[in-house]
Amino acid sequence: MKKILVYTLFLLVVSGCSVLTELSAFKKCEFRLYSFQDPAVCGIDISHRSSWSDFSFMDAQLIGTNLLRGELPFDITVNVEVRNPGTSTAAVNSIEWQAYIDELELATGVLDRPIELAPSGGLAIVPLKVHADLIEYLEGDNPQAMMNFAMNLLGAGDQPSRIVMKIKPSVLVGGQSISYPGFFSISQDFSSGN
């Protein structure tokens, strides 16, 4: 019985070291904001709108109704590209994330699925689905940042918005979640292209 217990403990330690090596390799990976897709305000796709006149009467009515309720729901998928230049497999079980626009925290969340990257150039696109109520920011201390971001999404902005995603990966070791100590940032300036 002692031999089985010692062998089980040995396997837990070895697998724990392997998992921690994969988490350490993940920290060495290269990250970039790859793309943004499906931006929507109040459920209205705004990806192909270039000015306020592109919104229909029904769109305006829906946005107005939401504003009267004190809501302005915004959704976007932020695709993060991850590349593993190292010599070890990089893997995590989940990623805690925070989304910022011009230093304002927009939303937080957790991507609760494993990601594994092969060594020597393994590549993955990680979709992070961001949902926020923009009314909080339009009424808050810095509504200009949100209006500027909205104008950039519509192709009418004249000042770039800085989008930052902060992530913290975690792994499971013996059924216990172990997070990387601290967040690291991925950023990109976003502008309308004018």
Side-chain angles (χ1 to χ4, degrees):
M1 182 70 166
K2 267 186 168 180
K3 288 181 181 179
I4 293 173
L5 181 60
V6 169
Y7 181 71
T8 303
L9 286 173
F10 174 75
L11 286 177
L12 281 174
V13 169
V14 169
S15 69
C17 289
S18 169
V19 168
L20 291 177
T21 299
E22 290 174 347
L23 176 61
S24 177
F26 193 83
K27 170 65 173 151
K28 295 174 185 170
C29 287
E30 298 167 348
F31 299 83
R32 75 179 179 115
L33 293 181
Y34 180 71
S35 66
F36 304 96
Q37 69 185 62
D38 305 325
V41 173
C42 301
I44 302 165
D45 180 3
I46 61 171
S47 60
H48 301 293
R49 317 280 172 132
S50 59
S51 72
W52 296 112
S53 63
D54 289 341
F55 287 88
S56 71
F57 176 76
M58 296 299 286
D59 294 340
Q61 188 175 22
L62 181 59
I63 291 170
T65 301
N66 276 275
L67 287 172
L68 287 173
R69 279 190 246 149
E71 302 171 347
L72 191 59
F74 173 71
D75 296 282
I76 192 166
T77 300
V78 178
N79 293 310
V80 176
E81 182 183 75
V82 186
R83 191 174 75 81
N84 181 6
T87 56
S88 300
T89 298
V92 295
N93 287 77
S94 65
I95 296 175
E96 183 179 349
W97 58 264
Q98 301 169 339
Y100 293 83
I101 295 176
D102 293 335
E103 299 180 14
L104 296 172
E105 184 178 291
L106 184 64
T108 61
V110 175
L111 177 68
D112 206 13
R113 71 173 175 94
I115 299 166
E116 186 172 305
L117 296 162
S120 304
L123 190 67
I125 304 296
V126 179
L128 302 176
K129 297 194 180 295
V130 176
H131 173 78
D133 185 357
L134 295 183
I135 202 75
E136 297 172 26
Y137 303 98
L138 293 173
E139 294 175 345
D141 293 335
N142 196 350
Q144 184 60 39
M146 284 303 116
M147 288 305 294
N148 186 49
F149 178 65
M151 295 300 287
N152 282 329
L153 282 174
L154 294 172
D158 59 357
Q159 294 180 344
S161 296
R162 186 159 184 82
I163 298 173
V164 176
M165 295 297 294
K166 293 185 178 185
I167 63 172
K168 182 196 296 189
S170 299
V171 293
L172 286 177
V173 178
Q176 200 66 351
S177 180
I178 298 176
S179 295
Y180 198 84
F183 286 85
F184 48 97
S185 298
I186 312 162
S187 63
Q188 174 180 330
D189 288 338
F190 177 76
S191 63
S192 66
N194 290 340

